[in-house]
Amino acid sequence: MGGDHGPSVTIPAAISFLKHEPDAELILVGLEDVVLAELKKHKADAHPRLSLRHASEQVTMDDPLEVALRRKKDSSMRVAIELVKSGAAQACVSAGNTAALMAVSRYVLKTMAGVDRPAICSILPNQKDGPTYMLDLGANVDCEPHHLHQFAIMGSVLVAAMEGIERPTIGLLNVGTEDIKGNDVVKQTAKLLQADHERGALNFYGNVEGNDIFKGTTDLVVCDGFVGNVTLKAVEGLARLVKNVMTTEFKRNPLTMLGALIAKGALWAISHRLNPSRYNGASLLGLRGLVVKSHGGADADAYEWAIRRAFEAAKHDLQAHLSTTIAGLMPGTPILEESSSTI
């Protein structure tokens, strides 16, 4: 039910995904009448691998956290996350309110042992034609060194599981590569990561700059949520700007249109590699269950990619990898106990 478009995007994406993945089953959570009407529109109301779970409420993009947590106990978001907690589903995918999704997920699923704060991790393209994983992308605006340290550990486990890389390289995003650069938080984080590197626990490359994300200098780039979210939104905007400028210029006159026709194959390949839709779907790491966040403005193609991220994570048994590996790598830091009060 979430995102800018709701079932008009999420249901076509679900149907398309199932066509490509014969082993997958999806549970659609939301207002039964609305979801069923959309399924009938696509002649998929009797699909054998689609089931419907009714939820009487939905969290809107403008709902404050108090409403999402305390008042809307039967929201589609909460019901979907409860399905993960009970084991009825292996992962939850939502395009809804990011803050609400993180808060509800954290309350229902709880965080893993040793994890202070969950983080949002996604992928960006690089010139090596592979993904650069990056976190945090907006869940934690203000961070201490031990938070960034934990993000690096969780991200490293994610990359290892999803990409089959035994020792993923980790870069710490900074304003320069020299050790003397950056604020105190980044400098102290670098010391923690370097200590892990020296004892063979992590593969810390060192400081990296913004352009290293797209060079593919490291497999993983770590930063706080403020920097990460600004970077992500800037990249998305730049990708759309480049696409719009190229489209406008190639349509400018008959000669440029002829050039576009000649270069049609190359232009399609460029558009495909840089299409933001292919990189949709961010993992909420550090929870005791798999949750994937789709961009709120995603179209059906982009939302299908988010579903695929969740499917691949479940297929690679990511949660088991995270649980076992993080337990061995996470340092002993004071953890605030989860509230046991009923919401």
Side-chain angles (χ1 to χ4, degrees), residues 185-197:
V185 171
V186 172
K187 290 177 181 177
Q188 292 301 317
T189 303
K191 292 180 180 178
L192 294 174
L193 294 175
Q194 185 60 38
D196 278 348
H197 179 82

Side-chain angles (χ1 to χ4, degrees), residues 270-284:
I270 293 171
S271 177
H272 179 69
R273 286 183 62 181
L274 299 181
N275 183 1
S277 295
R278 293 184 62 216
Y279 303 94
N280 186 44
S283 300
L284 274 55

Side-chain angles (χ1 to χ4, degrees), residues 7-277:
S8 64
V9 158
T10 57
I11 290 177
I15 295 169
S16 176
F17 173 76
L18 289 178
K19 289 179 181 177
H20 297 101
E21 292 295 343
D23 296 330
E25 295 183 17
L26 298 179
I27 304 171
L28 303 177
V29 184
L31 303 175
E32 186 173 8
D33 293 343
V34 176
V35 176
L36 193 56
E38 191 70 29
L39 285 171
K40 288 180 177 178
K41 187 188 299 184
H42 294 275
K43 298 180 174 58
D45 51 309
H47 197 294
R49 290 183 288 120
L50 272 178
S51 59
L52 175 58
R53 182 65 62 93
H54 176 63
S56 62
E57 299 171 306
Q58 63 184 95
V59 176
T60 69
M61 301 302 277
D62 298 322
D63 276 343
L65 294 184
E66 181 185 0
V67 171
L69 273 172
R70 299 182 183 277
R71 299 183 190 176
K72 295 187 174 181
K73 297 180 181 179
D74 195 44
S75 69
S76 55
M77 181 182 290
R78 183 153 179 168
V79 172
I81 295 168
E82 291 279 5
L83 290 173
V84 175
K85 181 181 180 180
S86 69
Q90 291 172 278
C92 167
V93 184
S94 173
N97 183 317
T98 303
L101 182 65
M102 178 62 84
V104 175
S105 297
R106 187 171 183 177
Y107 175 76
V108 173
L109 298 174
K110 304 296 187 282
T111 55
M112 292 180 173
V115 176
D116 280 347
R117 301 178 182 179
I120 299 175
C121 183
S122 192
I123 60 175
L124 292 170
N126 62 47
Q127 65 189 41
K128 296 180 180 179
D129 200 21
T132 296
Y133 285 72
M134 185 171 177
L135 83 169
D136 177 33
L137 295 180
N140 305 280
V141 175
D142 296 309
C143 295
E144 297 298 326
H146 72 275
H147 295 135
L148 296 181
H149 185 205
Q150 290 177 9
F151 298 166
I153 293 170
M154 294 189 291
S156 179
V157 176
L158 174 67
V159 177
M162 299 298 288
E163 303 298 329
I165 302 173
E166 186 175 351
R167 287 175 53 79
T169 52
I170 301 168
L172 183 61
L173 193 60
N174 202 345
V175 294
T177 58
E178 300 87 353
D179 293 339
I180 61 171
K181 293 289 183 70
N183 57 30
D184 288 340
V185 171
V186 172
K187 290 177 181 177
Q188 292 301 317
T189 303
K191 292 180 180 178
L192 294 174
L193 294 175
Q194 185 60 38
D196 278 348
H197 179 82
E198 290 173 359
R199 67 186 179 92
L202 293 175
N203 189 4
F204 181 49
Y205 174 87
N207 291 328
V208 295
E209 297 179 282
N211 58 339
D212 287 304
I213 299 170
F214 307 101
K215 286 180 181 179
T217 302
T218 59
D219 300 308
L220 174 70
V221 173
V222 178
C223 61
D224 65 49
F226 184 93
V227 172
N229 192 263
V230 170
T231 301
L232 180 65
K233 297 297 174 59
V235 170
E236 290 173 348
L238 177 61
R240 291 184 173 88
L241 172 64
V242 171
K243 182 178 180 179
N244 290 338
V245 168
M246 291 180 67
T247 300
T248 300
E249 292 304 320
F250 275 118
K251 289 182 177 179
R252 186 169 295 280
N253 57 56
L255 186 60
T256 58
M257 291 175 68
L258 176 61
L261 183 62
I262 294 172
K264 182 178 179 181
L267 290 173
W268 181 90
I270 293 171
S271 177
H272 179 69
R273 286 183 62 181
L274 299 181
N275 183 1
S277 295

